[in-house]
Amino acid sequence: MRAVARVISTRVLPFIASASLASNIVIFGVVYKYRHMGVEAILGQTTSSIFPFACALLWPILWVAARTYASANSVVLFDALQRSKTEYEDMADIDEFDVDALPPTKDVRVGIRDVVAHMRWMWTMCDHRNLSRSSNLAETLGAITVICSIDKEGTIAEPVCTPEQIVVPDEQDYAVLDLAEPDLAEPQSGFIADIGWQRFLPVLRPLALACAHDSGVCAMAPNSAHRRARALRGPTATQTACLCRVARGVGFTSSDLANYHVERVAMVTAPKRSASFVATVVRTTDAQSLHVLSDGNVELILGACLDYFDGTRVCALDDRTVAMYYALYLNALQQDLQCLAYAYRPLRLPPNVEWLFDSSSKVPARVELRVDDEDESQDQVVDDEFGSVDLPAHLTQAARLAQLRAKPRVTDTSGDVDYSPDMLTHLATEENLLRDAVTEQIFLGLITFTYEPKTDVCDFIEDLDIAGIRFVYFSASGGRQSKSFADRLGLETDWNTCILLSSADGAQDIGYVEDHDIKARLPRGIHNIREHLRDVDDIPLQVSLFAECTPSATREMIEIFQENGEVVCCMGSALAANTLTFAVCDLAVGVEPIPHFNRAKDVLLDHENDGSMSTPGALVTQYALGAALTCIPCPLFLQHDTSLYTLMQVVSEARWMVGCMQQAGLLLLLACVSLALVNLIAAWCLLPALPGFMAMWVLWIAVPVLSATLLFVPHDESIMSTMPLKNHAHVSDMSRFSVYAVIRMAPVVALTLVVYTSALQSMLPLSPPLHSLSSTFSRLDWLHLTQDQQWALLGAQTYAMVAFVFHAICVSSTMMQRTRTLVEFVPVRNKVWVCGSFACLALTFAFAALLLAFGRVRVDRVPWYTYAVAFAGPL
């Protein structure tokens, strides 16, 4: 609209003004009779020609009102979709397996009262929640070309890792057991997909016991990912996932856990490696024996183990076996998987040392392990059937045995205890005893975890492509890890699909590891993107995956998108430091990463506040306060359980509303230009222009009413199958647009002039021929006309005004759908347009009747073909 208004104000208006001024000068010099009235003849007639443009000064108010209505409609619809608990469904006539099928929607309707109430609130209050004024909400939503995600956990993926595989020892090798997909309909279904997995039950039982003690057999849905109920959680994401499903699958229940009593829980850390594992000391209620169950970082667990259990016997954990599990661990990290290792040790203590464990303390003990592996030259290369593995020095069997030899010897020869009284005296404290107890463990196996995409995310990304919107994922992980998760999202991960935004560490560091990425010569580092776009190709504007992203690099890449005409919508976690990135984007959407983080247990919330940030009410937790500060630049906020299709449906509605606004604005502009051309051509024909009050009636009342009805055209879902324009290509072909505008409005101008001249000829006394009309009105001023001539001129101008309004109604009926004919989209479907058209025409007829009621206008002398041209011509 701005481009069209700029063309009209810089080209059309000067042309009409200069043409009118030139023609009036010629008319005054050649045919005008009264020489002393030059100012009125020249400037007055020129002003009459361009007066319709002066009437357009009121339209910015109408445009602001339309923008406010569209923004209010988007906000009300967004809130209604989030409150609705129904599922998104495909339309009845669409095949869900069709690749070009339109995205599913919810059958949610917003009431006009709610929209008007929100409009009034936006006008009278500070819109701090949706930033509708500063963000141009509806226009930005309708113009989005890129949707990017700057976070993974809780945004496009579940906030908690999901167990994927269990790796258990199998004699000299290992077995990988794939966990079955959760089946909410059958909670008791098998949790392992492999056939014959029951033969691994001997080794699965101690591992499941560790899971049961670590997570507890909680009351949550067993087949849904959730966090641990216990307060102690490790620093890694895997140590927050609840593994009650594994414990239930093996057969452990809450009653089984009643046979064990937790004596002490310790967080074992290695500060130099930023790694940890949790050790739980439990006592059986019958045999009064102690056991240490550990889970956590794979390297630390392997370094603390001397043996492994394969289900039948305890075997020595030699270098080949450690290298096998270590290689598996490294490969899992490359595939964007998280790993937890599990170990076990029976702890035999004399009966008089229970005081060493403070079982009454609810604070976990802190134990630090010393890992001396800073010298990489001591790493050992171990060969196995899959290749060679660089085994860290502290994981070698020699290093682990050296730690064992450095410990004090057991002086009790009975063999019934692991610690003699002399050793306990030497250890002295609980921390020293725990530090010693977490060594010499028996390795049980691994569990791998993955971040699963949220429900509908993969389908959402696929449907964005149909809508002409590109999805971009900014990942802080490396290239391989990012590609693994992108593959689960359904993004392309082959050739030319991932760009690293981190800077190279050295001249030989190209960053890319795949051969096809190296041959493609993809740019490395954010500082090389602009140069690559300028000198090579536009691949950085086409890929959907960026890896090794820092917040500053992400912001700069978003700015590059905007420099190249993209309208960027950014989604990110409300609990991450994303404020600056949100502020850079054209539109930011904060996402609630975990459910109900605004709900406090000891605060009674209002019944309308469900604990979400998007609902009105006080911020009752520190998380909610932090999210509110982070999401200051965000006009929209998604709740945790809200489908991303909510955003797509709001985008669809905004596209339609913006298209309706553009058509309404075009109708106003074309009506203004058409009325100005009617006055200009009338001046060229030596006839008076339409008076100013008629122009004001047309451009301030009739046409604005018609334009307003275009905002209520029924929504068409096919709008999401059209491609949005770039931000620098608002009107890509102005010449073609101009031709279409001329074709659309030329009949209106021509037919209005025909009605004007034929009505004027028939109403004048003696009905002079057409060629004498010019000579009659070109030589005389209004004040020198007879009363009959004045009334005839007013009557003809009134007929022209009525014809112009009727023609505008007909033209407005063709502007409801840009891509469909009147047969495919019948205008009467827009009930508001039908009522508005009748009201507009009735008011115009009433206004015309009022003008002609007290004059001597010979309406009966107007011929039939004048009415035919006025009312049948547009049809």
Side-chain angles (χ1 to χ4, degrees):
M1 280 304 300
R2 293 178 182 175
V4 176
R6 188 181 305 111
V7 170
I8 291 178
S9 61
T10 58
R11 298 182 183 180
V12 178
L13 176 58
F15 168 77
I16 293 179
S18 58
S20 178
L21 180 62
S23 61
N24 288 325
I25 292 175
V26 172
I27 293 172
F28 176 76
V30 175
V31 300
Y32 204 73
K33 181 177 180 180
Y34 300 96
R35 296 296 177 179
H36 64 281
M37 301 184 65
V39 174
E40 181 180 350
I42 298 176
L43 298 182
Q45 293 295 332
T46 302
T47 303
S48 298
S49 298
I50 63 174
F51 182 75
F53 292 101
C55 295
L57 295 178
L58 181 65
W59 292 349
I61 300 176
L62 303 178
W63 182 255
V64 170
R67 286 177 54 182
T68 306
Y69 173 79
S71 297
N73 184 77
S74 300
V75 172
V76 173
L77 176 62
F78 184 79
D79 293 340
L81 289 173
Q82 292 209 89
R83 289 193 301 268
S84 173
K85 301 305 180 183
T86 59
E87 297 293 333
Y88 281 88
E89 298 178 352
D90 293 302
M91 289 182 288
D93 57 340
I94 290 182
D95 183 7
E96 61 178 337
F97 298 104
D98 186 2
V99 294
D100 296 327
L102 295 175
T105 57
K106 282 185 180 181
D107 188 14
V108 174
R109 297 288 184 268
V110 295
I112 187 64
R113 292 184 179 180
D114 297 331
V115 177
V116 172
H118 196 79
M119 284 181 62
R120 184 172 63 252
W121 183 83
M122 290 168 57
W123 274 334
T124 58
M125 304 292 290
C126 180
D127 189 13
H128 60 277
R129 286 184 58 201
N130 302 110
L131 305 177
S132 304
R133 300 176 185 172
S134 59
S135 65
N136 298 331
L137 184 57
E139 294 175 281
T140 307
L141 280 170
I144 288 174
T145 59
V146 173
I147 293 181
C148 62
S149 175
I150 57 176
D151 291 306
K152 178 171 65 175
E153 298 90 342
T155 303
I156 55 177
E158 296 293 343
V160 182
C161 289
T162 302
E164 186 175 69
Q165 294 176 331
I166 299 179
V167 181
V168 294
D170 185 14
E171 296 182 354
Q172 299 299 318
D173 201 354
Y174 59 80
V176 179
L177 305 178
D178 294 322
L179 296 181
E181 291 291 334
D183 189 356
L184 299 179
E186 298 182 9
Q188 302 301 325
S189 59
F191 80 110
I192 294 181
D194 299 85
I195 299 176
W197 64 272
Q198 289 82 359
R199 72 183 184 91
F200 297 103
L201 276 175
V203 69
L204 283 173
R205 286 193 180 99
L207 189 147
L209 178 62
C211 294
H213 277 289
D214 185 56
S215 300
V217 184
C218 62
M220 295 290 289
N223 286 341
S224 61
H226 52 276
R227 292 177 178 267
R228 298 182 186 181
R230 295 194 176 182
L232 180 62
R233 295 171 183 161
T236 60
T238 52
Q239 289 177 268
T240 64
C242 186
L243 295 174
C244 62
R245 181 167 171 248
V246 176
R248 291 175 187 269
V250 175
F252 285 99
T253 62
S254 301
S255 59
D256 296 325
L257 292 183
N259 297 325
Y260 297 89
H261 178 264
V262 177
E263 288 288 328
R264 200 70 170 100
V265 178
M267 175 67 72
V268 184
T269 61
K272 292 184 178 181
R273 304 189 62 82
S274 299
S276 66
F277 66 88
V278 178
T280 305
V281 181
V282 298
R283 180 190 299 274
T284 58
T285 57
D286 51 357
Q288 293 296 311
S289 59
L290 293 174
H291 306 272
V292 178
L293 301 172
S294 302
D295 70 280
N297 181 264
V298 175
E299 285 193 51
L300 291 185
I301 292 289
L302 286 174
C305 293
L306 294 178
D307 307 292
Y308 70 92
F309 179 58
D310 65 357
T312 57
R313 64 185 185 276
V314 176
C315 307
L317 193 62
D318 56 13
D319 288 342
R320 189 199 70 83
T321 307
V322 172
M324 180 176 63
Y325 288 108
Y326 186 70
L328 177 68
Y329 165 64
L330 295 180
N331 184 59
L333 294 182
Q334 291 295 323
Q335 298 179 19
D336 196 37
L337 299 177
Q338 311 292 330
C339 287
L340 273 184
Y342 286 84
Y344 160 79
R345 177 186 178 180
L347 195 60
R348 297 174 297 175
L349 296 177
N352 58 342
V353 296
E354 285 84 352
W355 58 270
L356 288 177
F357 295 116
D358 186 8
S359 58
S360 62
S361 175
K362 297 183 179 180
V363 179
R366 298 289 176 176
V367 178
E368 291 188 4
L369 291 181
R370 181 180 179 183
V371 179
D372 297 326
D373 63 337
E374 298 180 358
D375 187 4
E376 296 182 358
S377 62
Q378 300 297 323
D379 292 356
Q380 181 175 342
V381 179
V382 180
D383 296 324
D384 60 9
E385 55 183 329
F386 301 105
S388 59
V389 180
D390 291 333
L391 193 63
H394 73 283
L395 294 183
T396 62
Q397 190 174 21
R400 288 179 282 117
L401 291 176
Q403 291 182 358
L404 176 64
R405 288 191 294 269
K407 296 171 59 176
R409 293 290 181 178
V410 177
T411 58
D412 191 337
T413 58
S414 64
D416 294 335
V417 296
D418 295 323
Y419 294 91
S420 64
D422 295 339
M423 287 183 62
L424 294 176
T425 303
H426 176 75
L427 295 173
T429 63
E430 179 190 58
E431 181 180 354
N432 291 334
L433 177 59
L434 288 173
R435 183 181 294 109
D436 191 88
V438 297
T439 60
E440 302 181 51
Q441 298 193 67
I442 301 172
F443 183 74
L444 298 178
L446 305 172
I447 297 182
T448 62
F449 301 78
T450 183
Y451 279 104
E452 293 292 341
K454 280 185 175 181
T455 305
D456 295 337
V457 167
C458 298
D459 295 334
F460 169 78
I461 295 175
E462 182 180 354
D463 291 335
L464 283 180
D465 186 63
I466 301 175
I469 302 175
R470 185 161 55 91
F471 181 83
V472 176
Y473 172 49
F474 290 98
S475 172
S477 304
R480 285 184 175 177
Q481 295 93 326
S482 301
K483 282 188 175 182
S484 297
F485 181 69
D487 186 63
R488 291 195 288 272
L489 290 176
L491 300 177
E492 292 290 338
T493 56
D494 296 329
W495 188 63
N496 273 6
T497 56
C498 178
I499 293 179
L500 306 182
L501 295 186
S502 62
S503 300
D505 295 333
Q508 302 300 323
D509 180 20
I510 59 176
Y512 299 100
V513 294
E514 304 289 348
D515 291 337
H516 51 73
D517 288 337
I518 297 174
K519 293 178 181 178
R521 295 185 178 181
L522 295 173
R524 171 70 189 277
I526 187 64
H527 57 281
N528 292 321
I529 299 295
R530 287 186 174 89
E531 180 180 354
H532 186 92
L533 291 173
R534 183 179 64 252
D535 301 335
V536 184
D537 53 36
D538 63 345
I539 289 298
L541 301 179
Q542 305 299 326
V543 301
S544 296
L545 179 60
F546 294 90
E548 299 182 8
C549 301
T550 62
S552 59
T554 300
R555 290 192 293 271
E556 189 168 353
M557 193 64 220
I558 291 174
E559 292 175 352
I560 293 175
F561 283 155
Q562 294 169 333
E563 292 169 5
N564 289 272
E566 305 284 2
V567 179
V568 182
C569 172
C570 176
M571 297 189 304
S573 172
L575 295 181
N578 293 326
T579 305
L580 295 179
T581 307
F582 286 156
V584 168
C585 300
D586 297 287
L587 183 72
V589 180
V591 181
E592 187 178 82
I594 55 178
H596 307 304
F597 64 75
N598 192 26
R599 177 172 294 175
K601 296 181 180 179
D602 54 346
V603 177
L604 182 61
L605 297 179
D606 183 74
H607 67 282
E608 296 182 354
N609 190 340
D610 61 355
S612 170
M613 278 289 301
S614 60
T615 55
L619 303 177
V620 298
T621 68
Q622 66 271 29
Y623 297 108
L625 178 59
L629 296 176
T630 299
C631 296
I632 286 177
C634 298
L636 301 176
F637 191 92
L638 278 173
Q639 299 177 18
H640 171 74
D641 56 349
T642 300
S643 172
L644 292 183
Y645 276 116
T646 298
L647 181 61
M648 181 174 287
Q649 187 165 346
V650 174
V651 169
S652 174
E653 184 70 18
R655 275 192 186 183
W656 186 253
M657 289 298 301
V658 171
C660 294
M661 289 169 54
Q662 291 175 347
Q663 294 298 94
L666 285 176
L667 180 60
L668 288 170
L669 292 175
L670 292 179
C672 175
V673 174
S674 300
L675 194 57
L677 288 176
V678 168
N679 290 341
L680 176 63
I681 297 175
W684 287 349
C685 296
L686 305 181
L687 295 176
L690 297 184
F693 67 89
M694 290 187 181
M696 295 171 64
W697 174 268
V698 171
L699 298 179
W700 282 7
I701 298 178
V703 177
V705 170
L706 294 176
S707 299
T709 61
L710 297 182
L711 299 178
F712 300 91
V713 178
H715 182 77
D716 185 6
E717 297 296 339
S718 63
I719 190 68
M720 292 304 287
S721 62
T722 60
M723 301 296 107
L725 295 176
K726 298 288 186 180
N727 200 23
H728 54 60
H730 302 285
V731 182
S732 56
D733 192 349
M734 183 58 71
S735 59
R736 184 177 63 177
F737 174 82
S738 302
V739 171
Y740 288 161
V742 170
I743 293 175
R744 184 184 294 273
M745 300 306 295
V748 177
V749 176
L751 294 176
T752 301
L753 289 171
V754 169
V755 171
Y756 182 25
T757 55
S758 63
L760 181 60
Q761 178 202 16
S762 61
M763 290 183 183
L764 284 173
L766 304 178
S767 298
L770 290 176
H771 66 271
S772 64
L773 290 179
S774 300
S775 59
T776 301
F777 290 96
S778 62
R779 298 176 181 273
L780 299 176
D781 185 74
W782 170 270
L783 298 177
H784 296 88
L785 296 176
T786 64
Q787 287 190 358
D788 292 336
Q789 290 175 331
Q790 290 179 355
W791 282 111
L793 179 59
L794 179 61
Q797 291 171 336
T798 304
Y799 267 71
M801 177 193 68
V802 174
F804 188 91
V805 171
F806 182 75
H807 296 170
I809 294 175
C810 296
V811 170
S812 67
S813 67
T814 66
M815 301 183 72
M816 297 186 193
Q817 262 283 358
R818 295 178 55 194
T819 57
R820 294 188 182 184
T821 63
L822 292 178
V823 177
E824 296 174 332
F825 187 88
V826 182
V828 295
R829 289 177 54 189
N830 185 355
K831 306 301 182 182
V832 178
W833 175 82
V834 173
C835 297
S837 299
F838 276 109
C840 182
L841 196 59
L843 290 175
T844 302
F845 274 118
F847 180 61
L850 183 62
L851 291 177
L852 304 179
F854 304 101
R856 294 179 296 179
V857 180
R858 300 295 303 273
V859 178
D860 56 319
R861 299 178 59 180
V862 178
W864 65 269
Y865 56 82
T866 301
Y867 296 99
V869 171
F871 298 107
L875 303 179

